Amino acid sequence: MHDFKMKNNRLFCEQVSLDAIARKVGSPVFVYSKKTILDHFNKLKKAFKDIDPLICYSMKANSNLSICKILKDAGAGIDIVSGGELYRAQAIKVQADKIVYASVGKTPEEIEAAIKAGILFFNVESVAELKLINAIARSLGEKQKVAIRVNPDVAAKTHKYITTAKKQNKFGIDVKTTKEIFFKLRKSLNNLEICCIHLHIGSQIEHVTPFIQALKKGVKLIELLNKNGANITHINIGGGLGIIYDKEKPQTASDYAKAIIPILADKNLKLILEPGRFIVGNAGVLLTKIIYVKDTSVKRFYIVDAAMNDLIRPSFYEAFHGVIPVIAKKKIKLKKADIVGPICESGDFLAKQRLLPASLSQDDILAVMSAGAYGFSMSSNYNSRRRAAEVLVDGKTFEIIRKRETYGELIKNEITGKL
Ligand code: PLP
């Protein structure tokens, strides 16, 4: 599942001890395993090998250039959601015809840049956006391929902040409007080729049923549209595969493929996938050092040097991340504790009520597990904290793939005028 394992009482990433990385690079630091990233990508590729889909890694999960490049070199395309992500994809020379672009709020500048770059598809999320892409394509003398992101109105049974396919969500276009686009509006959109239906129903989805429901709705819609003169050649089923953070038992890549492939049999549609968390989630940890042990009359706190600005998932989604000391303690008496950061918010915690060795003390390093997805990429400078460093392990070696921010970088874009 992943390459973070205890050996001789030390936690290793592949063949490098995490304690050694923390001592050398400092903390907080995200550490990623190259082998795990590739293993997860290849699991998906293998599971779907019979239909050879385009797997576009969803860069929002972890947009570090080195991580994206590993996946690009392994054959992945990229799923982007902003001009900044397009810029990143271009920086590592991702083939433009392997880039797909979703987002409910693409600006005219972002649309123009993406058309000029030659991306494969915009995943269009509103009629207004469709018209704007058409107008910009016309002004550039281009014909742009687009997908309609359909909101299939299915419940993904995941956290309310990461469900995207209910009527109440801001994402996608409902089925009725999609039909109107094809039957009425399409004639006036001469600079668009509407040839894909896109579905993304949410994230951290553990069971295959909602994927099946959404895909069946998507395929039925495509059949109806194609019977009536449309030419839909692709279906994009987004990302959303859940991973194990705690006790989850999510579908495997193979379970997922076994459910999806038969629905597409004989449909003559090229499949696109946009996995993010599945590939990188369990391929990274966040290392943090205990600054203080604080015992109050009701509980123990380990106050650590990572905080909600580094990993917001516990505060934002009440998400669970395992916490493991990188050096195991010999005498194991356990005590419950909250692991909290230095930020001035009661919501600043990484874990609550965890049984950890009672002998943990100042300077001990903890690994916050499964922090590879939506960790660094959702981090911020709140409380003027510098963003963490990132390290990539490859076998016996490791390298810094993003330096820790400096205080100078923290203020460099601020204009103090005559102050
Ligand atoms: N595709 C789209 C359109 C998304 O919005 C997201 C995440 O929110 C993803 C793909 C990736 O999802 P996940 O990381 O759950 O695979």
Side-chain angles (χ1 to χ4, degrees):
M1 199 188 72
H2 62 68
D3 243 278
F4 295 88
K5 300 213 168 73
M6 241 24 208
K7 289 180 216 164
N8 302 325
N9 292 327
R10 278 171 193 262
L11 188 60
F12 276 70
C13 174
E14 302 190 19
Q15 290 157 60
V16 181
S17 130
L18 290 175
D19 183 56
I21 294 177
R23 301 290 162 202
K24 190 136 189 195
V25 181
S27 58
V29 57
F30 285 89
V31 180
Y32 310 115
S33 155
K34 181 174 178 180
K35 184 163 174 282
T36 310
I37 293 168
L38 282 173
D39 182 44
H40 291 166
F41 175 69
N42 288 327
K43 275 202 174 106
L44 213 46
K45 213 171 145 183
K46 193 167 157 219
F48 279 95
K49 72 174 185 317
D50 290 348
I51 58 169
D52 189 28
L54 174 61
I55 304 180
C56 293
Y57 166 60
S58 192
M59 179 192 264
K60 65 176 80 63
N62 187 323
S63 53
N64 185 289
L65 293 184
S66 300
I67 306 275
C68 296
K69 187 164 181 312
I70 289 171
L71 290 160
K72 174 215 138 185
D73 290 347
I78 298 280
D79 159 42
I80 62 168
V81 286
S82 68
E85 288 196 350
L86 174 63
Y87 187 76
R88 284 181 176 274
Q90 289 177 313
I92 53 163
K93 299 191 169 47
V94 176
Q95 240 176 272
D97 62 3
K98 285 183 163 185
I99 298 177
V100 293
Y101 187 172
S103 159
V104 289
K106 305 171 190 87
T107 64
E109 296 75 22
E110 289 175 319
I111 292 170
E112 182 172 334
I115 295 177
K116 283 184 176 162
I119 66 162
L120 179 60
F121 286 120
F122 286 95
N123 297 328
V124 176
E125 311 229 15
S126 64
V127 171
E129 183 196 332
L130 199 63
K131 290 180 180 169
L132 182 62
I133 297 174
N134 183 60
I136 297 174
R138 189 186 326 116
S139 71
L140 295 172
E142 298 285 350
K143 189 141 189 165
Q144 177 63 47
K145 284 195 171 123
V146 299
I148 301 296
R149 176 170 180 179
V150 173
N151 183 328
D153 194 27
V154 298
K157 297 195 183 89
T158 184
H159 190 281
K160 61 178 187 294
Y161 287 180
I162 46 178
T163 183
T164 59
K166 288 297 291 167
K167 273 191 198 139
Q168 294 77 7
N169 299 129
K170 68 178 173 179
F171 301 100
I173 299 176
D174 62 71
V175 171
K176 184 168 163 276
T177 312
T178 304
K179 288 180 190 164
E180 281 165 13
I181 289 171
F182 278 92
F183 298 147
K184 293 191 191 146
L185 201 58
R186 190 162 59 110
K187 292 190 267 323
S188 62
L189 302 169
N190 291 325
N191 291 77
L192 300 184
E193 210 181 307
I194 312 177
C195 53
C196 178
I197 291 293
H198 175 272
L199 306 153
H200 170 79
I201 58 172
S203 198
Q204 185 54 21
I205 299 166
E206 293 171 38
H207 304 289
V208 84
T209 321
F211 290 116
I212 297 176
Q213 284 169 350
L215 182 60
K216 284 189 173 163
K217 281 194 179 183
V219 167
K220 199 168 147 210
L221 178 63
I222 292 174
E223 286 181 327
L224 174 88
L225 296 172
N226 279 352
K227 253 189 225 149
N228 287 281
N231 183 22
I232 297 167
T233 50
H234 290 65
I235 185 158
N236 181 336
I237 56 171
L241 287 167
I243 63 166
I244 300 172
Y245 286 99
D246 184 16
K247 296 188 179 77
E248 299 87 345
K249 290 197 180 74
Q251 71 267 288
T252 61
S254 149
D255 298 334
Y256 181 59
K258 277 185 193 146
I260 300 295
I261 294 172
I263 304 174
L264 295 175
D266 308 323
K267 302 289 182 234
N268 208 14
L269 292 167
K270 172 87 176 170
L271 177 67
I272 303 176
L273 304 168
E274 296 173 347
R277 187 190 311 270
F278 179 83
I279 293 179
V280 289
N282 278 321
V285 300
L286 170 62
L287 300 183
T288 183
K289 186 162 71 180
I290 297 177
I291 315 175
Y292 299 113
V293 181
K294 179 168 172 174
D295 285 313
T296 70
S297 58
V298 286
K299 62 162 83 165
R300 168 169 287 191
F301 293 98
Y302 291 118
I303 301 170
V304 297
D305 64 0
M308 65 189 285
N309 75 299
D310 300 299
L311 182 66
I312 203 172
R313 298 190 69 260
S315 315
F316 198 28
Y317 311 117
E318 296 176 324
F320 178 98
H321 286 264
V323 176
I324 305 179
V326 297
I327 302 181
K329 294 284 174 189
K330 292 216 174 69
K331 266 198 255 140
I332 282 279
K333 189 175 154 241
L334 299 172
K335 190 171 171 71
K336 270 196 183 157
D338 286 4
I339 296 96
V340 299
I343 284 183
C344 315
E345 301 278 348
S346 298
D348 176 27
F349 61 90
L350 297 174
K352 282 192 167 170
Q353 291 294 298
R354 294 302 169 78
L355 271 177
L356 285 163
S359 59
L360 278 174
S361 59
Q362 229 160 325
D363 287 345
D364 281 341
I365 304 286
L366 303 175
V368 182
M369 305 303 288
S370 310
Y374 308 104
F376 188 93
S377 63
M378 287 180 89
S379 69
S380 76
N381 291 117
Y382 186 39
N383 275 206
S384 285
R385 289 169 53 81
R386 295 169 300 161
R387 272 177 299 171
E390 294 177 286
V391 160
L392 181 70
V393 173
D394 182 9
K396 287 187 188 142
T397 60
F398 73 90
E399 63 173 326
I400 296 173
I401 55 171
R402 183 182 164 114
K403 291 185 204 160
R404 185 177 311 289
E405 254 172 1
T406 63
Y407 287 122
E409 285 163 345
L410 199 62
I411 61 164
K412 79 171 189 299
N413 289 332
E414 289 172 42
I415 296 155
T416 51
K418 294 197 174 65
L419 283 182

